[in-house]
Amino acid sequence: MTTSVHPVASNYWVIVPAAGSGKRMGAEIPKQYLPLNGKPIIAHTLENILSWPGLEGVIVAIAADDCEFSSIAAAQDPRVFTVIGGAERAQSVLAALDYLSARENPATPVLVHDAARPLVALDDIQKLLAAAPMALLAQPASDTIKQSQPGEGGSTVVRQTLPRDQIWLAQTPQKAPLGLLRDTLMRGLENDPLAITDEASALEQAGYHPELVAACRSNFKITHPADLILAEALLRHRAGELSAGKNV
């Protein structure tokens, strides 16, 4: 993590890939549309994004057969646009980047944010906007990290313990200039698509080293049913803090 000072990004765009099915949640509907405190998860995420300072617009990549998104109140905001996404996250992000490339300067800052991370804190967004042109929110590892290997009888055993002070858990948003991100993502998908698990991995594959910006634990991705319970509790807590006049 660096401590250098950079101009705060403004007039930036946010891309939200939301064309996936969220299979690990085990639900009958795509994960982003599961109810969270009375609204779909993605509705909370979009309302959060639309409150960020300096925002120019949001592009949501949805599935071709998506009939739900247009019914969300935040989808009616004039700053929200949609494109048809792909089967994989990287394909959805690239579709949104293609849309933006026809309309914006290649140097335009772009933030890519997961539809299922509704609880990212404004303080962390402000830190990310003030970070290097290529940067991502991440959580320094606090647990001991074990690398695994196959064991006997189909079991999994410890191979070694990894140095915890070098391990970060990647979050979103992840930030990069529009043209650079589009080019590196396209090359990454051509060269080694399985290695492109997020935007930073495409930048890394091209030889870049995005800045790590430490973020709050509350910026977790809703992936399993238990995550919904935690997210609901945190939303209620934040609502209480706001009613008490505190910044959250």
Side-chain angles (χ1 to χ4, degrees):
M1 183 173 63
T2 66
T3 57
S4 56
V5 177
H6 303 274
V8 176
S10 60
N11 301 114
Y12 57 90
W13 284 79
V14 176
I15 292 173
V16 180
S21 60
K23 295 177 181 178
R24 282 178 288 180
M25 184 64 76
E28 295 182 356
I29 61 175
K31 174 178 61 179
Q32 59 268 24
Y33 295 118
L34 289 173
L36 176 61
N37 279 17
K39 291 185 288 191
I41 293 170
I42 193 171
H44 291 279
T45 302
L46 285 175
E47 289 170 9
N48 190 343
I49 292 171
L50 291 168
S51 72
W52 298 351
L55 175 72
E56 186 72 19
V58 185
I59 302 176
V60 184
I62 60 176
D65 60 352
D66 189 315
C67 299
E68 301 290 333
F69 184 76
S70 61
S71 65
I72 296 173
Q76 313 310 315
D77 190 290
R79 295 171 291 173
V80 176
F81 304 83
T82 59
V83 296
I84 301 302
E88 302 296 334
R89 171 198 173 91
Q91 295 168 339
S92 293
V93 173
L94 188 56
L97 290 169
D98 287 343
Y99 176 92
L100 264 184
S101 294
R103 294 161 176 79
E104 294 289 337
N105 187 289
T108 301
V110 172
L111 280 61
V112 182
H113 189 53
D114 294 326
R117 291 187 193 268
L119 292 160
V120 60
L122 180 58
D123 284 350
D124 289 341
I125 294 300
Q126 291 173 327
K127 288 193 295 181
L128 180 65
L129 293 175
M134 288 177 282
L136 67 150
L137 294 185
Q139 178 67 49
S142 57
D143 296 322
T144 298
I145 307 297
K146 303 291 186 182
Q147 185 180 27
S148 67
Q149 66 182 23
E152 296 181 359
S155 66
T156 301
V157 300
V158 172
R159 179 179 181 182
Q160 63 177 329
T161 297
L162 301 177
R164 184 172 60 189
D165 60 349
Q166 298 177 20
I167 303 295
W168 290 66
L169 308 179
Q171 299 180 350
T172 66
Q174 301 190 2
K175 181 182 72 169
L178 167 60
L180 177 63
L181 181 56
R182 181 172 179 265
D183 290 346
T184 55
L185 195 56
M186 289 175 64
R187 289 203 304 270
L189 289 173
E190 291 173 358
N191 297 333
D192 190 359
L194 294 180
I196 307 303
T197 55
D198 63 359
E199 294 66 49
S201 61
L203 294 167
E204 294 158 32
Q205 195 179 96
Y208 296 99
H209 300 279
E211 180 180 353
L212 291 162
V213 180
C216 178
R217 284 181 182 271
S218 65
N219 186 28
F220 61 90
K221 186 177 183 179
I222 297 175
T223 305
H224 302 285
D227 297 333
L228 277 171
I229 299 172
L230 179 56
E232 288 175 355
L234 286 170
L235 282 171
R236 288 195 297 270
H237 173 73
R238 287 189 175 184
E241 293 283 284
L242 286 171
S243 65
K246 299 179 180 179
N247 291 325
V248 294

